[in-house]
């Protein structure tokens, strides 16, 4: 199921349970899918128009009144465009606002360039009182949303509106703040977040074909990081490769390196956007352009494993 | 206490607060003291013993740098002890230069990064409506220079579109900002006309005339489906001659022992 459909279905359920939840949009209720909630909950769905700064602060005001607002826009406009509003009125003010970033990084494809945000993890990780998440599929989203709504504090989560490939089975056990071990391995740890887990999983299979045993950790929460899971795996394999649809600066690679350098220095490679500007293109072409393919992941892992083996 | 006496007490306590630090945002704190006196004497339904009571009037001091005047007002109303005023900007204080809702009893919204207050007030006003509270208001005090921030007009548009008639904007129109006179820095033309164009009902008063201000606020509290704006003509540094004469440079300036003594002698 498309993430936006899963999102609306679960939000409708949560809004029935919890009359404190508000939905706020900035002219993307149709694109993001929340429009259908306006008929069901007219008193708690607020159209703000094309005014993201205003929407962000309205959410802060609602939160200060005890409500739980969810605000929505494309990832660049729900984070970097309104960063000071988030920093002052939400983070510094210790409010409880849930910020949704649609179509992060290369997933924005033909709206790339202006709408392509490689910085949202970096920005949002730097703010106190924020949990930062990257959602993979409808199963994970549906299971994460009740936790996001209940969490006493602000959450930023990014998701690809039209992503309809299922990664997790229906029996997926979402655990707040915990990494998901997709498969065990002994030679290299691959730590992937968001929709990159699909290619990371393909990379694991490719590595198996050349005799490399890779362990795959899927990270839905970039901050706070599941330190224990990453450290345990790094201690076992001795090599880590991070995979993210984000700049190499300030995102998952940074978070993992910050952890490893302090607690278990480990060789760590990055599959990420390396200081390149954004552009338009198909998803596949963008993956190739930014070196985010399954082959890129596998060859980076293979290169590090071979270097270590000498 | 009458609003007139109260405003003098607010100015004296504001300068005590600033003097404890030796300097701060003097001009804009003194210009807004009368509005605070009138609001807290005649209008704000708040409980110093229970500052977060859900059913209450709320104030967003969008020109957050006037925090010392708000702190003086709140201390005088009994929200916290007067000696807190001597802790301004000291490490661990509950009274930072710019107001913060997590720190100070009676502060309903953080402000300081200019231009966000009206938007936050819209959120508070939606919250009141969602709670079915039809008797309370959200007051927003903005600076005039602050209205150069475009987000104010996003907030104004929203307040009008969503018929937030529980929002009352008071513009502290002291006509000065850090770099000089607002009309020279970046002129804003007719503020009333601007707010009217965004769907507000507006009025303009002498912001130091308590009776006129009180009446204007009473008129603004008519629930007629539109938000209200009161443009208050004020003098930056009002009430203390040395600061009034300083002009734009009174925005952030010293309150040394000599200046403090002189100010207190004038504020009787």
């Amino acid at each position: 199921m498309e993430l936006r459909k899963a999102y609306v279905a679960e939000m409708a359920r949560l809004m029935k349970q919890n009359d404190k939840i508000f939905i706020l949009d900035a002219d993307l209720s149709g694109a993001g899918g929340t429009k259908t909630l306006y008929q069901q909950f007219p008193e708690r769905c607020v159209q703000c128009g094309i005014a993201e700064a205003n929407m962000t602060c309205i959410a802060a005001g609602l939160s200060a009144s005890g409500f739980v607002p969810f605000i929505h826009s494309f990832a660049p406009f729900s984070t970097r465009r309104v960063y000071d509003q988030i920093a002052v009125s939400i983070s510094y003010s210790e409010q409880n606002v849930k910020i949704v970033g649609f179509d992060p990084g290369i997933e924005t494809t033909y709206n790339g360039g202006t709408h392509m945000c490689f910085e949202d993890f970096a920005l949002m990780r730097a703010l106190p009182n924020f949990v930062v998440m990257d959602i993979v599929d409808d199963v994970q989203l549906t299971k994460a949303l009740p936790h996001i709504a209940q969490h006493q504090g602000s959450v930023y989560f990014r998701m690809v509106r039209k992503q309809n490939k299922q990664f997790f089975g229906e029996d997926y056990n979402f655990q707040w703040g915990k990494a998901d071990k997709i498969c065990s391995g002994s030679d290299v740890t691959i730590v992937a977040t968001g929709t990159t887990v699909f290619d990371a999983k393909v990379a694991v299979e490719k590595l198996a074909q050349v005799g490399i045993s890779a362990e795959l950790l899927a990270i839905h929460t970039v901050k706070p990081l599941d330190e224990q899971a990453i450290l345990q795996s790094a201690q076992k394999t001795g090599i880590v490769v991070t995979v993210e649809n984000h700049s190499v600066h300030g995102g998952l690679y940074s978070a993992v390196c910050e952890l490893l350098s302090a607690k278990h220095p480990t060789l760590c490679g990055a599959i990420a956007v390396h200081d390149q500007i954004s552009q338009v293109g198909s998803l596949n072409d963008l993956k190739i352009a930014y070196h985010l393919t399954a082959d890129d992941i596998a060859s980076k892992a293979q290169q590090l494993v071979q270097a270590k083996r000498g | 206490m009458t609003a007139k006496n109260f405003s003098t007490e607010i100015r004296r306590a504001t300068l005590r607060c600033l003097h404890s630090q030796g300097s701060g945002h003097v001009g804009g704190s003194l210009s807004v003291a009368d509005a605070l006196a009138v609001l807290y004497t005649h209008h704000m339904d708040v409980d110093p013993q229970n500052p977060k009571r859900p059913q209450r009037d709320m104030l967003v001091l969008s020109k957050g740098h006037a925090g010392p005047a708000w702190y003086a007002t709140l201390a005088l109303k009994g929200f916290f002890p007067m000696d807190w005023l001597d802790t301004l900007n000291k490490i661990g204080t509950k009274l930072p230069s710019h107001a913060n809702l997590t720190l100070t009893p009676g502060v309903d919204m953080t402000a300081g990064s200019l231009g966000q207050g009206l938007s936050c007030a819209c959120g508070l006003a939606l919250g009141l409506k969602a709670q079915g509270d039809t008797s309370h208001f959200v007051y927003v005090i903005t600076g005039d220079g602050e209205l150069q921030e475009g987000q104010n007009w996003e907030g104004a548009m929203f307040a009008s579109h969503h018929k937030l008639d529980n929002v009352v904007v008071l513009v502290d129109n002291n006509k000065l900002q850090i770099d000089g006179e607002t009309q020279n820095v970046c002129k804003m033309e007719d503020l009333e006309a601007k707010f009217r164009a965004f769907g507000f009902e507006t009025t303009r008063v002498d912001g130091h005339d308590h009776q006129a201000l009180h009446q204007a606020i009473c008129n603004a509290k008519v629930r007629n489906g539109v938000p209200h704006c009161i443009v208050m003509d004020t003098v930056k540094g009002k009430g203390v001659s040395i600061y009034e004469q300083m002009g734009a440079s009174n925005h952030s300036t010293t309150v040394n022992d000599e200046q403090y003594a002189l100010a207190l002698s004038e504020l009787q």
Side-chain angles (χ1 to χ4, degrees):
Chain A
M1 189 194 294
E2 280 189 355
L3 279 179
R4 60 183 173 181
K5 289 184 180 154
Y7 180 73
V8 168
E10 183 59 16
M11 288 306 292
R13 196 184 71 80
L14 292 170
M15 289 176 81
K16 269 186 218 158
Q17 284 178 0
N18 181 353
D19 65 3
K20 296 291 185 192
I21 295 175
F22 264 75
I23 293 283
L24 280 77
D25 287 292
D27 202 35
L28 290 174
S29 68
T34 52
K35 200 165 196 169
T36 56
L37 294 169
Y38 282 67
Q39 287 125 38
Q40 211 173 343
F41 306 99
E43 305 300 320
R44 288 188 282 141
C45 291
V46 183
Q47 175 59 263
C48 300
I50 309 168
E52 294 83 4
N54 192 42
M55 173 172 72
T56 304
C57 289
I58 289 168
L62 280 166
S63 164
S65 299
F67 293 94
V68 183
F70 282 66
I71 65 179
H72 311 80
S73 190
F74 290 120
F77 310 141
S78 67
T79 60
R80 73 180 182 207
R81 186 183 175 98
V82 292
Y83 195 54
D84 185 62
Q85 284 78 8
I86 298 172
V88 174
S89 290
I90 297 176
S91 167
Y92 173 62
S93 298
E94 299 180 39
Q95 294 305 309
N96 181 11
V97 175
K98 318 304 179 185
I99 302 178
V100 186
F102 295 138
D103 300 0
I106 60 170
E107 296 282 359
T108 198
T109 64
Y110 305 117
N111 282 328
T114 55
H115 291 42
M116 191 171 281
C117 185
F118 294 138
E119 310 84 23
D120 51 341
F121 285 162
L123 292 167
M124 300 310 293
R125 279 184 67 231
L127 293 175
N129 303 315
F130 260 96
V131 169
V132 180
M133 301 177 73
D134 196 2
I135 301 294
V136 179
D137 68 3
D138 56 339
V139 174
Q140 186 177 62
L141 179 65
T142 301
K143 297 195 176 189
L145 276 173
H147 295 269
I148 291 169
Q150 272 170 25
H151 176 69
Q152 289 300 310
S154 290
V155 178
Y156 169 66
F157 61 104
R158 43 159 39 192
M159 63 180 210
V160 182
R161 292 173 299 137
K162 297 179 188 171
Q163 206 295 93
N164 60 5
K165 286 185 294 177
Q166 203 168 316
F167 183 80
F168 291 104
E170 297 296 338
D171 60 346
Y172 170 57
N173 176 28
F174 174 87
Q175 289 181 280
W176 182 249
K178 296 292 181 193
D180 297 304
K181 187 187 284 192
I182 306 304
C183 60
S184 292
S186 55
D187 296 326
V188 59
T189 300
I190 297 176
V191 183
T193 189
T195 48
T196 67
V197 297
F198 289 103
D199 285 315
K201 198 172 174 193
V202 174
V204 169
E205 289 155 13
K206 286 176 183 282
L207 287 164
Q209 287 164 15
V210 293
I212 293 173
S213 163
E215 179 150 304
L216 176 57
L217 297 180
I219 300 285
H220 52 67
T221 302
V222 175
K223 181 191 175 188
L225 207 55
D226 184 350
E227 297 192 353
Q228 193 187 10
I230 292 167
L231 283 172
Q232 270 181 2
S233 186
Q235 280 160 1
K236 180 170 69 175
T237 64
I239 299 172
V240 176
V241 174
T242 62
V243 189
E244 63 197 302
N245 169 23
H246 184 273
S247 167
V248 72
H249 302 296
L252 180 66
Y253 178 67
S254 298
V256 169
C257 287
E258 287 159 18
L259 169 69
L260 294 176
S261 66
K263 297 193 176 165
H264 186 72
T266 307
L267 185 61
C268 188
I271 297 297
V273 177
H274 287 266
D275 223 19
Q276 289 170 272
I277 58 167
S278 60
Q279 60 188 311
V280 293
S282 71
L283 188 59
N284 278 338
D285 287 344
L286 289 163
K287 278 184 190 174
I288 293 165
Y290 292 110
H291 307 292
L292 301 174
T293 65
D295 283 338
D296 290 315
I297 301 167
S299 56
K300 172 65 77 176
Q302 190 172 1
Q303 176 199 330
L304 294 181
V305 170
Q306 283 168 351
K308 192 175 181 198
R309 285 175 179 168
Chain B
M1 195 188 305
T2 64
K4 182 149 187 59
N5 292 337
F6 189 35
S7 67
T8 303
E9 290 304 313
I10 290 172
R11 287 194 169 88
R12 290 173 68 90
T14 299
L15 287 158
R16 166 182 170 173
C17 183
L18 291 162
H19 175 251
S20 75
Q21 189 65 15
S23 65
H25 295 105
V26 176
S29 293
L30 292 174
S31 66
V32 83
D34 296 296
L36 290 168
V38 171
L39 279 171
Y40 280 87
T41 300
H42 299 296
H43 298 283
M44 293 292 288
D45 175 23
V46 286
D47 179 0
Q49 305 307 314
N50 186 11
K52 295 284 185 196
R53 190 187 72 198
Q55 307 292 307
R56 70 181 192 277
D57 288 320
M58 287 178 274
L59 173 61
V60 179
L61 185 64
S62 191
K63 44 171 288 181
H65 53 279
W70 201 5
Y71 304 149
T73 307
L74 293 169
L76 288 162
K77 294 298 285 186
F79 281 81
F80 47 82
M82 287 295 287
D83 58 14
W84 282 24
L85 295 176
D86 304 323
T87 69
L88 182 74
N89 290 343
K90 294 182 172 61
I91 191 79
T93 187
K94 292 183 182 302
L95 308 184
S97 195
H98 302 76
N100 177 341
L101 87 165
T102 68
L103 292 176
T104 317
V107 166
D108 296 311
M109 186 51 69
T110 301
S113 180
L114 295 175
Q116 299 184 24
L118 177 51
S119 301
C120 293
C122 288
L124 294 171
L126 281 177
L128 283 179
K129 292 208 168 194
Q131 290 161 20
D133 185 338
T134 54
S135 59
H136 290 98
F137 289 84
V138 183
Y139 300 95
V140 193
I141 300 179
T142 74
D144 54 343
E146 179 185 7
L147 296 176
Q148 289 160 352
E149 292 278 8
Q151 189 182 339
N152 288 292
W153 306 105
E154 294 182 7
M157 206 181 321
F158 181 92
S160 171
H161 180 84
H162 289 272
K163 301 183 169 54
L164 297 180
D165 55 7
N166 53 353
V167 169
V168 179
V169 176
L170 299 106
V171 181
D172 184 13
N173 188 32
N174 60 35
K175 302 165 196 72
L176 294 173
Q177 58 189 114
I178 298 175
D179 274 352
E181 296 180 24
T182 51
Q183 65 172 2
N184 295 332
V185 174
C186 193
K187 66 180 176 181
M188 287 167 289
E189 306 289 356
D190 183 342
L191 288 176
E192 266 196 287
K194 273 195 162 59
F195 273 97
R196 276 202 302 272
F198 280 88
F200 279 59
E201 282 189 4
T202 69
T203 188
R204 185 164 184 161
V205 298
D206 175 347
H208 304 304
D209 180 337
H210 293 182
Q211 189 51 43
L213 196 47
H214 172 47
Q215 192 55 52
I217 296 170
C218 288
N219 294 345
K221 287 160 77 172
V222 175
R223 300 239 180 207
N224 57 355
V226 296
H228 290 78
C229 171
I230 301 168
V231 176
M232 309 182 297
D233 285 311
T234 57
V235 175
K236 205 164 181 178
K238 177 71 178 178
V240 180
S241 56
I242 48 169
Y243 294 125
E244 287 189 26
Q245 288 154 17
M246 213 178 264
S249 55
N250 74 16
H251 179 83
S252 180
T253 188
T254 57
V255 184
N256 59 33
D257 292 347
E258 189 185 346
Q259 290 166 318
Y260 184 43
L262 183 66
L264 291 185
S265 73
E266 291 182 13
L267 292 166
Q268 298 290 333

